[in-house]
Amino acid sequence: MRWYVVASLLTVLTSSQGILTTLSQSNGGYKYDYATVPFLAEVFKLLVSSVFLWREMQNSPPPKMTMDWKSVRLYPIPSIIYLIHNNVQFATLTYVDTSTYQIMGNLKIVTTGILFRLFLKRKLTNLQWMAIILLAVGTTTSQVKGCGEASCDSFFSSPIQGYLFGALSACLSALAGVYTEFLMKKNNDSLYWQNVQLYTFGSIFNMGRLLMDDFRSGFEEGPWWQRIFNGYNMTTWLVVLNLGTTGLLVSWLMKYADNIVKVYATSMAMLLTMVLSVILFNFKPTVQLFLGIIICMMSLHMYFAPPSTLVDLPLTVKPVSESVSEVPTERKTNS
């Protein structure tokens, strides 16, 4: 399967994720424990990867599976980074409002490019760096509201701690993605074996979060495993399947493409979500939204198009000395 097909699927699924989550609400809230959704999504990814790995093991020769502890012990690290990232997100939201938080979140586009270059030693051309910065500018532009609104000034009125936590959140998000790509590409192990390791630790960490929530609440509603499916309906299960399938597509991109492709897919998904919100939720489109879409499309073309289609190269003209040497000898003697 080609990477742009997987990236397109990721864009569609990611854009529908926010819409499905909104549709799963009832009277502005959730009847189910939202913390159970990531846990069930991790279990879903683990089960799917296990089935595909089992099918691979029936073939001859069997897939490559590195079981050395020195290799396996690296796989909990992405879950640890995401755990820290989630706590930093909550800390950020205590200092800034939601609009400012969303705008600052676009910083992870640039930090991903920087860490992509530093840790994976992947060189980007000047045009590609410009495209990445344009993508961040485009997504930010689409989220900025009119300056006549009060929320326009709120971005510059947050305390310094909010900006610091926002920058840290962007760095942690980029670090988790870049490190995951490093894990997926460091050897020729089966993708599904690598997924099994990632999602096993992911399930364990999400289970730990559910237990911590129970301890904080004093088990008022009972242990999490007794109420895990409370309030679930068809839409909620679609949220779980969407989140799980999105994770599987991301792992494929980490193995066979790279982080920048994932960044473009998720950024385009955000714009697609805004467009769909206009149709489904009577969201009023703004000039900023249209400008953001145009800028992001320009960025997409700049990054992935061949350089020869972006820059008009000068025509090669033969030197005068070379043209003189090609004059036939007969003509030179006649003259």
Side-chain angles (χ1 to χ4, degrees), residues 159-235:
I160 188 64
Q161 294 95 324
Y163 300 112
L164 293 177
F165 277 121
L168 179 59
S169 175
C171 291
L172 287 172
S173 176
L175 178 61
V178 170
Y179 184 82
T180 301
E181 182 178 347
F182 161 74
L183 280 182
M184 304 301 280
K185 292 179 177 176
K186 73 183 183 71
N187 55 36
N188 293 324
D189 280 5
S190 164
L191 168 65
Y192 304 116
W193 167 238
Q194 292 176 318
N195 281 349
V196 166
Q197 296 174 86
L198 278 175
Y199 302 142
T200 296
F201 289 110
S203 300
I204 292 172
F205 277 95
N206 277 277
M207 187 188 304
R209 180 195 169 184
L210 292 172
L211 283 172
M212 288 179 61
D213 290 345
D214 284 344
F215 278 108
R216 288 173 182 171
S217 64
F219 291 89
E220 291 180 358
E221 300 179 1
W224 64 270
W225 58 85
Q226 292 183 0
R227 53 181 170 78
I228 187 171
F229 301 123
N230 289 354
Y232 269 60
N233 54 30
M234 181 61 67
T235 307

Side-chain angles (χ1 to χ4, degrees), residues 55-128:
R55 291 185 60 182
E56 273 193 345
M57 294 176 66
Q58 308 305 310
N59 299 331
S60 181
K64 183 181 178 183
M65 298 166 56
T66 303
M67 298 185 182
D68 181 35
W69 170 244
K70 291 182 180 180
S71 175
V72 175
R73 69 183 179 182
L74 300 176
Y75 283 84
I77 295 178
S79 298
I80 296 173
I81 297 175
Y82 280 121
L83 181 65
I84 299 173
H85 174 250
N86 291 336
N87 286 286
V88 171
Q89 281 182 313
F90 282 110
T92 306
L93 287 169
T94 60
Y95 293 101
V96 302
D97 57 26
T98 305
S99 299
T100 304
Y101 173 76
Q102 289 178 339
I103 292 173
M104 291 179 62
N106 296 318
L107 184 61
K108 67 184 178 184
I109 297 173
V110 179
T111 55
T112 298
I114 295 173
L115 295 181
F116 185 74
R117 175 69 181 93
L118 292 178
F119 290 103
L120 298 181
K121 308 298 182 183
R122 297 286 297 275
K123 187 175 181 180
L124 299 175
T125 65
N126 292 335
L127 279 174
Q128 288 176 324

Side-chain angles (χ1 to χ4, degrees), residues 246-285:
T246 298
L248 292 171
L249 292 176
V250 168
S251 68
W252 192 97
L253 287 177
M254 294 296 99
K255 182 75 170 179
Y256 300 111
D258 56 48
N259 261 282
I260 305 299
V261 174
K262 187 201 78 171
V263 164
Y264 269 94
T266 52
S267 299
M268 295 302 167
M270 181 185 63
L271 297 176
L272 181 58
T273 301
M274 292 182 180
V275 173
L276 292 176
S277 297
V278 173
I279 302 172
L280 298 175
F281 304 115
N282 296 321
F283 175 78
K284 293 182 179 180

Side-chain angles (χ1 to χ4, degrees), residues 20-65:
L20 288 173
T21 303
T22 302
L23 293 175
S24 69
Q25 294 179 353
S26 179
N27 298 324
Y30 300 105
K31 288 186 177 180
Y32 58 93
D33 184 359
Y34 190 74
T36 60
V37 173
F39 170 71
L40 292 175
E42 291 294 316
V43 173
F44 169 76
K45 291 185 286 186
L46 177 59
L47 292 175
V48 171
S49 300
S50 299
V51 170
F52 279 104
L53 178 62
W54 175 80
R55 291 185 60 182
E56 273 193 345
M57 294 176 66
Q58 308 305 310
N59 299 331
S60 181
K64 183 181 178 183
M65 298 166 56

